[in-house]
Amino acid sequence: MNLADPAPENDVVRLDTLTAEHKEVVLATGIAESMWQWMPVMPTGTSLEAYMDHSLDLKATETFYPFIVIDKATGEFAGLAAFERVSRTHRRLEIGFVWHPEKYRGTAIVPATQLALLTRAHAARFRRISYFVPEQNDRAIRAFSKMGAQREGLIRNYMRTAGGTWANMVVLSLVGDEIKAAISLLRDQVRALQLA
């Protein structure tokens, strides 16, 4: 199964492949200020535009699949996410570059995005899904842990951020049946948030 086509989706979100046409929409959001703390330095620079260009360049490979998240109820831009460092040989990938506008945090959009990503990865027979999260990003670490991702360790000075600091990265993962358990948990969480 292809990781990006058809678009991963569920009742709440659709993840369309990021294209150059989405650039204006993304640049018009508050993502630059929000991501600056965690955005890695790109080979082409440290601006959000450089991030977008780099993502679009990497999309040409078989190892990076960037998405724009669409709120299916409104058709609005609701975030970004990506499959990265994809290895079909070893059936592993990472989920990263996840960001949602402030208004969607705490809503069904956030777990629905993870649900769409995990469901597609599982259907494509991936056996390991990793998350590399800056050590200071407690909110993301708690969220991934809550859905069952196991903390594997800390990689020190792994990444230089656009702000000039060096980030230690916490490695979390879901393997084998943990992926199915996370999908089930996320389904329940999305339903609960829809009913709230």
Side-chain angles (χ1 to χ4, degrees):
M1 170 172 272
N2 187 295
L3 285 171
D5 187 27
E9 65 180 322
N10 49 49
D11 293 343
V12 180
V13 296
R14 185 182 71 248
L15 277 57
D16 291 338
T17 298
L18 185 71
T19 67
E21 287 74 42
H22 296 125
K23 202 171 184 179
E24 270 187 51
V25 173
V26 175
L27 292 173
T29 70
I31 191 172
E33 295 80 24
S34 179
M35 284 182 69
W36 193 254
Q37 186 176 6
W38 313 124
M39 189 189 310
V41 169
M42 299 291 163
T44 53
T46 57
S47 68
L48 181 58
E49 193 155 354
Y51 160 79
M52 292 289 294
D53 291 341
H54 186 65
S55 294
L56 292 170
D57 288 344
L58 283 177
K59 189 177 78 167
T61 71
E62 292 285 313
T63 63
F64 188 75
Y65 296 80
F67 299 103
I68 185 169
V69 180
I70 302 297
D71 176 350
K72 287 177 78 170
T74 65
E76 292 179 355
F77 167 79
L80 295 170
F83 289 129
E84 54 182 325
R85 294 180 187 87
V86 175
S87 171
R88 289 193 176 276
T89 302
H90 300 289
R91 294 191 195 173
R92 68 176 181 237
L93 57 76
E94 294 173 23
I95 291 176
F97 293 95
V98 178
W99 179 82
H100 297 281
E102 191 70 38
K103 75 177 191 175
Y104 289 110
R105 295 176 194 166
T107 72
I109 293 288
V110 176
T113 299
Q114 285 299 316
L115 178 59
L117 291 164
L118 290 179
T119 301
R120 177 54 55 86
H122 183 258
R125 299 179 55 222
F126 282 82
R127 297 196 41 80
R128 176 184 169 84
I129 298 169
S130 303
Y131 299 90
F132 281 57
V133 184
E135 184 179 27
Q136 296 86 356
N137 193 345
D138 292 327
R139 184 178 64 200
I141 292 168
R142 280 194 312 272
F144 295 136
S145 297
K146 187 176 175 184
M147 66 183 216
Q150 300 297 306
R151 185 175 175 146
E152 295 183 332
L154 180 74
I155 304 175
R156 298 179 300 155
N157 279 359
Y158 182 77
M159 177 185 84
R160 187 163 51 109
T161 69
T165 62
W166 285 89
N168 297 332
M169 304 297 278
V170 174
V171 182
L172 301 105
S173 70
L174 295 163
V175 298
D177 288 341
E178 294 169 358
I179 299 168
K180 287 193 283 189
I183 289 170
S184 179
L185 189 146
L186 286 165
R187 275 195 192 112
D188 291 344
Q189 190 177 359
V190 168
R191 278 190 211 107
L193 286 166
Q194 286 177 305
L195 295 172

